[in-house]
Amino acid sequence: MEIGRRSFLAGSGLALAAGSAAAQSFELPTAPDPSPAAEPAPPATPPGPRAIDWRRIRAQFALTPDWIDMSAMLIASHPAPVREAIERHRRQLDANPVVYLEANNRSLQNRARAAAGQYLGVPGEAVALTDSTTMGAGLVYNGLRLRYGQEILTTDQDYYVTHESLRLAALRTGAKVRKISLFEDIRTVSEAGLTARITSQIGPQTRVVALTWVHSSTGLKLPIPAIAAAIRSINAARGEADRVLLCIDGVHGFGNQDVGFGELGCDFLFAGCHKWLFGPRGTGVIYGSESGWRAALPTIPTFLDSSAYSHWISGTDPGAGSAVRMTPGGFKAFEHLWALTEAFWLHQSIGRAEVARRTAELATQLKDGLAAMPHVTLVTPRSPRLSAGIVAFDVAGMSAQQVVSRLREWKVIASVAPYARPHARLTPSIRNFPHEIDFALQAIRAMA
């Protein structure tokens, strides 16, 4: 199915305002036929900041207009291009499911992999498709070729999904999991201090460093490129089987930060696409380096690798791990999986840098307002170098759940971090406006 890109924004009711210059435009087909999909070409992004009509961005979401939704970190409302793509595929599947599936499944999944690769600057062959961040973590950590006695280094501040995936991997392989604390006081953290804290703990038996890019508990953003650079220095003196693999839960930076996979420098990055990327619900990705894929094996049989059945029939070993083999097979919500391409196109059309800039502006406005309130303790670092879109805070005399409940009375959607030490969280995104931040601050000010 040949998918052009001209008039994409105009065709979906989305426009960018750039002075008198014409907005970028791409094309979405209105009636795809069941023929193989071509890999999309990356959209052209003009250099430098652009004036974007954020009202038109917001208009792509069918959000209830009298509520302020600042929970992008949880589950996405599908923007119009994604909704329309899901519906197009659903109609075709309902009309002739076997023919449409047979003609399109592999090509449409590979089209989504290509779009995901373009978004972070890698070939589509480096990307596996999953259902969620949780599935990505499970597939990566369960698939790593760990030897008995090797060590997985992680932190006390990481999330349940990381800790549980690592515990299960250790049970399976005989590897050990060691947790360290990232900080004593989040108010004193620095990029250099965090990097040293982690890399100084890497020992001869350390095979994996398992971290989270942006912590959902506090909103702290780790300096992953600096950590990766330090690990590369350590790996210079190690053989392939002993080099340290840097694995990142990237979901709360994925879709709101202007950093490519190569710039991050990790071996694996896994993330759900139904949060900040506003992709189809029930979709996710794993990005892997060449050495990362060589160090991992799939857990779930794939349908995407064209050679999988021939290896099965001939009884031959398919060889080293790869992204295509890591992509789970099985029957699933295909219309959601196939519509993932449109989510990446939407972000590409706005511009990764512009999304990051807007997210940082709104988060900074929120943090500045909270920091000025005597009855509020801002948990998230104020520097954009140490934070992204998550803003965590406490209100004196109230539990985190009470704060969230009070905000719901004002029709402001916040959430509670599911940790031993819970905080209230507001997570502004490109769907939000400065006046919505002001309204949320007014509601919190009233809690004094």
Side-chain angles (χ1 to χ4, degrees):
M1 178 169 49
E2 183 71 28
I3 305 291
R5 281 182 167 263
R6 293 181 196 276
S7 307
F8 171 70
L9 295 185
S12 60
L14 181 63
L16 306 183
S20 59
Q24 288 188 88
S25 61
F26 304 97
E27 181 180 330
L28 280 176
T30 55
D33 56 47
S35 56
E39 290 193 358
T45 302
R50 292 173 292 155
I52 296 178
D53 187 346
W54 294 106
R55 293 169 301 176
R56 291 184 179 269
I57 304 295
R58 169 62 173 268
Q60 301 309 295
F61 297 89
L63 292 165
T64 304
D66 59 339
W67 283 76
I68 296 175
D69 191 333
M70 280 196 277
S71 60
M73 66 171 296
L74 289 177
I75 187 166
S77 166
H78 293 157
V82 173
R83 292 198 307 272
E84 292 160 7
I86 290 171
E87 185 55 33
R88 285 197 310 275
H89 294 308
R90 179 175 292 139
R91 285 198 303 268
Q92 296 282 356
L93 282 170
D94 286 339
N96 203 336
V98 173
V99 170
Y100 193 70
L101 181 68
E102 290 178 346
N104 288 280
N105 183 36
R106 186 169 291 163
S107 59
L108 287 174
Q109 286 198 52
N110 284 330
R111 186 184 72 156
R113 293 172 67 211
Q118 289 160 7
Y119 178 66
L120 287 192
V122 298
E125 290 77 13
V127 182
L129 301 178
T130 72
D131 294 355
S132 64
T133 312
T134 301
M135 178 181 278
L139 290 174
V140 168
Y141 293 130
N142 184 67
L144 290 176
R145 303 175 190 237
L146 299 172
R147 301 194 307 272
Y148 182 86
Q150 286 187 317
E151 178 185 84
I152 307 169
L153 181 67
T154 189
T155 79
D156 290 332
Q157 285 79 13
D158 272 272
Y159 185 46
Y160 157 76
V161 167
T162 293
H163 287 167
E164 183 64 3
S165 296
L166 296 181
R167 185 184 72 84
L168 294 172
L171 286 175
R172 180 181 61 83
T173 62
K176 300 177 181 178
V177 178
R178 182 161 61 95
K179 300 174 186 176
I180 63 171
S181 181
L182 274 175
F183 52 80
E184 277 74 43
D185 187 340
I186 195 171
R187 294 172 297 181
T188 64
V189 296
S190 67
E191 292 178 278
L194 290 166
T195 301
R197 188 97 174 198
I198 293 163
T199 57
S200 66
Q201 293 296 310
I202 294 175
Q205 297 304 311
T206 305
R207 173 61 164 153
V208 178
V209 173
L211 301 174
T212 296
W213 190 3
V214 180
H215 285 236
S216 59
S217 55
T218 61
L220 173 66
K221 182 175 72 177
L222 297 188
I224 300 300
I227 295 167
I231 290 176
R232 281 195 297 273
S233 297
I234 294 170
N235 281 336
R238 297 194 179 197
E240 177 77 9
D242 296 307
R243 66 182 296 275
V244 180
L245 298 168
L246 178 57
C247 303
I248 303 299
D249 175 342
V251 68
H252 294 303
F254 186 67
N256 64 45
Q257 296 295 291
D258 184 24
V259 184
F261 183 70
E263 297 168 86
L264 281 171
C266 53
D267 291 286
F268 284 108
L269 174 78
F270 43 87
C273 296
H274 40 237
K275 296 181 185 289
W276 301 91
L277 191 77
F278 310 118
R281 291 181 284 272
T283 58
V285 288
I286 303 171
Y287 292 83
S289 66
E290 289 185 13
S291 56
W293 289 122
R294 286 196 302 271
L297 290 172
T299 299
I300 302 172
T302 187
F303 291 178
L304 192 57
D305 184 356
S306 58
S307 68
Y309 281 89
S310 61
H311 282 296
W312 169 57
I313 291 170
S314 64
T316 55
D317 185 350
S322 66
V324 69
R325 291 180 60 212
M326 188 71 87
T327 299
F331 280 58
K332 54 194 72 180
F334 291 111
E335 58 268 50
H336 279 228
L337 181 62
W338 298 338
L340 184 54
T341 300
E342 278 71 17
F344 284 108
W345 283 4
L346 178 61
H347 270 253
Q348 291 277 72
S349 67
I350 300 169
R352 205 173 65 190
E354 296 302 327
V355 170
R357 185 177 296 110
R358 177 70 169 185
T359 304
E361 288 173 354
L362 294 173
T364 297
Q365 178 188 351
L366 178 58
K367 287 185 286 187
D368 289 349
L370 292 171
M373 298 182 194
H375 65 297
V376 171
T377 300
L378 177 64
V379 177
T380 304
R382 294 178 72 170
S383 168
R385 296 183 66 87
L386 290 167
S387 60
I390 296 175
V391 179
F393 62 98
D394 299 319
V395 174
M398 299 178 69
S399 69
Q401 186 57 59
Q402 287 173 326
V403 173
V404 170
S405 297
R406 187 72 64 84
L407 285 169
R408 293 284 174 93
E409 294 174 6
W410 288 67
K411 293 191 173 182
V412 175
I413 299 178
S415 62
V416 177
Y419 290 80
R421 175 67 175 92
H423 305 290
R425 303 173 297 189
L426 288 167
T427 54
S429 69
I430 59 172
R431 304 178 308 186
N432 296 114
F433 299 103
H435 73 266
E436 293 181 318
I437 304 295
D438 287 337
F439 185 84
L441 290 170
Q442 179 184 349
I444 296 167
R445 198 173 291 115
M447 298 178 195

